[in-house]
Short mmCIF file of all heavy atoms in Angstrom, two decimals:
data_model
loop_
_atom_site.label_atom_id
_atom_site.label_comp_id
_atom_site.label_asym_id
_atom_site.label_seq_id
_atom_site.Cartn_x
_atom_site.Cartn_y
_atom_site.Cartn_z
N ASP Y 27 -76.51 86.52 28.88
CA ASP Y 27 -75.72 87.03 29.99
C ASP Y 27 -74.28 87.26 29.61
O ASP Y 27 -73.43 87.44 30.47
CB ASP Y 27 -75.80 86.06 31.18
CG ASP Y 27 -77.10 86.19 31.94
OD1 ASP Y 27 -77.79 87.21 31.77
OD2 ASP Y 27 -77.42 85.26 32.67
N ASP Y 28 -73.98 87.24 28.32
CA ASP Y 28 -72.59 87.42 27.91
C ASP Y 28 -72.48 88.49 26.84
O ASP Y 28 -71.65 88.42 25.95
CB ASP Y 28 -71.98 86.11 27.40
CG ASP Y 28 -72.79 85.49 26.28
OD1 ASP Y 28 -73.88 86.01 25.97
OD2 ASP Y 28 -72.32 84.50 25.70
N GLY Y 29 -73.35 89.52 26.92
CA GLY Y 29 -73.34 90.58 25.93
C GLY Y 29 -72.14 91.48 26.05
O GLY Y 29 -71.35 91.40 26.97
N GLY Y 30 -72.02 92.40 25.11
CA GLY Y 30 -70.94 93.38 25.16
C GLY Y 30 -69.65 92.84 24.61
O GLY Y 30 -69.56 91.75 24.07
N SER Y 31 -68.62 93.62 24.76
CA SER Y 31 -67.29 93.24 24.32
C SER Y 31 -66.56 92.58 25.47
O SER Y 31 -66.23 93.22 26.46
CB SER Y 31 -66.53 94.48 23.84
OG SER Y 31 -65.21 94.16 23.49
N GLY Y 32 -66.32 91.30 25.39
CA GLY Y 32 -65.84 90.55 26.54
C GLY Y 32 -64.35 90.62 26.76
O GLY Y 32 -63.57 90.58 25.82
N ALA Y 33 -63.94 90.71 28.02
CA ALA Y 33 -62.53 90.64 28.38
C ALA Y 33 -62.21 89.32 29.05
O ALA Y 33 -61.07 88.98 29.27
CB ALA Y 33 -62.16 91.80 29.30
N GLY Y 34 -63.26 88.56 29.43
CA GLY Y 34 -63.04 87.22 29.96
C GLY Y 34 -62.99 87.14 31.46
O GLY Y 34 -62.94 88.13 32.18
N ALA Y 35 -63.05 85.88 31.93
CA ALA Y 35 -63.03 85.62 33.36
C ALA Y 35 -61.67 85.97 33.96
O ALA Y 35 -60.64 85.90 33.30
CB ALA Y 35 -63.35 84.15 33.62
N GLY Y 36 -61.69 86.38 35.21
CA GLY Y 36 -60.45 86.66 35.91
C GLY Y 36 -59.78 87.95 35.49
O GLY Y 36 -58.60 88.16 35.79
N THR Y 37 -60.49 88.83 34.81
CA THR Y 37 -59.93 90.12 34.42
C THR Y 37 -59.78 91.03 35.63
O THR Y 37 -60.70 91.14 36.44
CB THR Y 37 -60.82 90.81 33.37
OG1 THR Y 37 -60.90 89.99 32.21
CG2 THR Y 37 -60.28 92.18 33.00
N THR Y 38 -58.65 91.67 35.75
CA THR Y 38 -58.44 92.62 36.85
C THR Y 38 -58.78 94.02 36.38
O THR Y 38 -58.29 94.49 35.36
CB THR Y 38 -56.99 92.59 37.34
OG1 THR Y 38 -56.69 91.29 37.85
CG2 THR Y 38 -56.76 93.62 38.45
N VAL Y 39 -59.65 94.68 37.13
CA VAL Y 39 -60.04 96.05 36.85
C VAL Y 39 -59.53 96.92 37.99
O VAL Y 39 -59.64 96.56 39.16
CB VAL Y 39 -61.57 96.18 36.75
CG1 VAL Y 39 -61.98 97.64 36.56
CG2 VAL Y 39 -62.09 95.33 35.60
N SER Y 40 -58.96 98.06 37.66
CA SER Y 40 -58.42 98.96 38.68
C SER Y 40 -58.64 100.39 38.26
O SER Y 40 -59.08 100.68 37.15
CB SER Y 40 -56.93 98.69 38.90
OG SER Y 40 -56.20 98.90 37.70
N GLY Y 41 -58.32 101.31 39.15
CA GLY Y 41 -58.48 102.72 38.84
C GLY Y 41 -58.35 103.57 40.08
O GLY Y 41 -57.94 103.10 41.14
N THR Y 42 -58.71 104.84 39.95
CA THR Y 42 -58.57 105.82 41.01
C THR Y 42 -59.91 106.47 41.30
O THR Y 42 -60.66 106.79 40.39
CB THR Y 42 -57.57 106.91 40.60
OG1 THR Y 42 -56.33 106.31 40.21
CG2 THR Y 42 -57.31 107.88 41.75
N ALA Y 43 -60.20 106.68 42.57
CA ALA Y 43 -61.37 107.45 42.99
C ALA Y 43 -60.86 108.71 43.67
O ALA Y 43 -60.09 108.64 44.63
CB ALA Y 43 -62.25 106.64 43.93
N ALA Y 44 -61.28 109.87 43.16
CA ALA Y 44 -60.73 111.12 43.69
C ALA Y 44 -61.63 112.29 43.35
O ALA Y 44 -62.36 112.27 42.35
CB ALA Y 44 -59.33 111.37 43.12
N LYS Y 45 -61.55 113.33 44.16
CA LYS Y 45 -62.22 114.59 43.86
C LYS Y 45 -61.20 115.72 43.75
O LYS Y 45 -61.55 116.90 43.69
CB LYS Y 45 -63.24 114.92 44.95
CG LYS Y 45 -62.67 115.06 46.34
CD LYS Y 45 -63.78 115.41 47.33
CE LYS Y 45 -63.24 115.58 48.74
NZ LYS Y 45 -64.32 115.97 49.69
N GLY Y 46 -59.95 115.35 43.67
CA GLY Y 46 -58.78 116.21 43.86
C GLY Y 46 -58.03 115.52 44.97
O GLY Y 46 -57.00 114.89 44.76
N ALA Y 47 -58.58 115.54 46.18
CA ALA Y 47 -58.14 114.66 47.25
C ALA Y 47 -58.56 113.24 46.88
O ALA Y 47 -59.61 113.02 46.28
CB ALA Y 47 -58.79 115.07 48.57
N MET Y 48 -57.72 112.27 47.24
CA MET Y 48 -58.05 110.88 46.96
C MET Y 48 -59.17 110.41 47.89
O MET Y 48 -59.23 110.82 49.06
CB MET Y 48 -56.82 109.99 47.15
CG MET Y 48 -55.65 110.34 46.25
SD MET Y 48 -55.99 110.00 44.50
CE MET Y 48 -55.79 111.63 43.79
N LEU Y 49 -60.05 109.56 47.41
CA LEU Y 49 -61.08 108.95 48.24
C LEU Y 49 -60.52 107.66 48.82
O LEU Y 49 -60.39 106.66 48.12
CB LEU Y 49 -62.35 108.67 47.43
CG LEU Y 49 -63.04 109.86 46.78
CD1 LEU Y 49 -64.37 109.43 46.18
CD2 LEU Y 49 -63.25 111.00 47.76
N VAL Y 50 -60.19 107.69 50.09
CA VAL Y 50 -59.59 106.54 50.78
C VAL Y 50 -60.67 105.77 51.50
O VAL Y 50 -61.43 106.33 52.29
CB VAL Y 50 -58.50 107.00 51.77
CG1 VAL Y 50 -57.92 105.80 52.52
CG2 VAL Y 50 -57.40 107.77 51.04
N GLY Y 51 -60.76 104.48 51.22
CA GLY Y 51 -61.78 103.65 51.85
C GLY Y 51 -63.12 103.69 51.16
O GLY Y 51 -64.13 103.27 51.74
N ALA Y 52 -63.17 104.16 49.92
CA ALA Y 52 -64.42 104.21 49.17
C ALA Y 52 -64.80 102.82 48.69
O ALA Y 52 -63.94 102.01 48.32
CB ALA Y 52 -64.29 105.16 47.98
N THR Y 53 -66.07 102.54 48.66
CA THR Y 53 -66.58 101.27 48.14
C THR Y 53 -66.87 101.42 46.66
O THR Y 53 -67.60 102.33 46.24
CB THR Y 53 -67.88 100.86 48.87
OG1 THR Y 53 -67.59 100.69 50.25
CG2 THR Y 53 -68.43 99.57 48.30
N VAL Y 54 -66.28 100.54 45.86
CA VAL Y 54 -66.45 100.57 44.41
C VAL Y 54 -67.29 99.36 43.99
O VAL Y 54 -66.99 98.23 44.36
CB VAL Y 54 -65.10 100.52 43.69
CG1 VAL Y 54 -65.29 100.42 42.17
CG2 VAL Y 54 -64.26 101.75 44.04
N GLU Y 55 -68.33 99.62 43.23
CA GLU Y 55 -69.19 98.54 42.74
C GLU Y 55 -69.56 98.83 41.29
O GLU Y 55 -69.91 99.95 40.95
CB GLU Y 55 -70.46 98.43 43.58
CG GLU Y 55 -70.21 98.02 45.02
CD GLU Y 55 -71.48 97.92 45.84
OE1 GLU Y 55 -72.46 98.61 45.47
OE2 GLU Y 55 -71.50 97.16 46.82
N MET Y 56 -69.47 97.79 40.43
CA MET Y 56 -69.83 97.92 39.02
C MET Y 56 -70.58 96.68 38.56
O MET Y 56 -70.37 95.59 39.08
CB MET Y 56 -68.58 98.10 38.16
CG MET Y 56 -67.94 99.46 38.23
SD MET Y 56 -66.51 99.60 37.10
CE MET Y 56 -65.27 98.77 38.09
N THR Y 57 -71.44 96.88 37.56
CA THR Y 57 -72.13 95.78 36.90
C THR Y 57 -71.79 95.83 35.42
O THR Y 57 -71.82 96.91 34.80
CB THR Y 57 -73.65 95.89 37.08
OG1 THR Y 57 -73.96 95.88 38.48
CG2 THR Y 57 -74.36 94.70 36.42
N CYS Y 58 -71.50 94.67 34.83
CA CYS Y 58 -71.03 94.61 33.45
C CYS Y 58 -72.12 94.11 32.51
O CYS Y 58 -73.20 93.69 32.94
CB CYS Y 58 -69.81 93.72 33.36
SG CYS Y 58 -68.39 94.31 34.31
N ALA Y 59 -71.82 94.13 31.21
CA ALA Y 59 -72.80 93.78 30.19
C ALA Y 59 -73.23 92.32 30.25
O ALA Y 59 -74.26 91.96 29.69
CB ALA Y 59 -72.24 94.10 28.81
N ASN Y 60 -72.46 91.47 30.90
CA ASN Y 60 -72.85 90.08 31.07
C ASN Y 60 -73.52 89.83 32.42
O ASN Y 60 -73.77 88.69 32.79
CB ASN Y 60 -71.62 89.17 30.93
CG ASN Y 60 -70.50 89.52 31.89
OD1 ASN Y 60 -70.61 90.49 32.66
ND2 ASN Y 60 -69.43 88.76 31.86
#
């Protein structure tokens, strides 16, 4: 459960969701290698 290149616990991930216009109120979900 700890595969991949690890950044460690408590890592903050951020970014932008947009199609040109910004996506406001979009739900972001990701699953990592661990």
Side-chain angles (χ1 to χ4, degrees):
D27 282 343
D28 56 353
S31 176
T37 299
T38 298
V39 176
S40 60
T42 306
K45 59 179 181 178
M48 300 292 120
L49 299 188
V50 178
T53 299
V54 175
E55 295 179 335
M56 285 183 280
T57 302
C58 298
N60 56 358

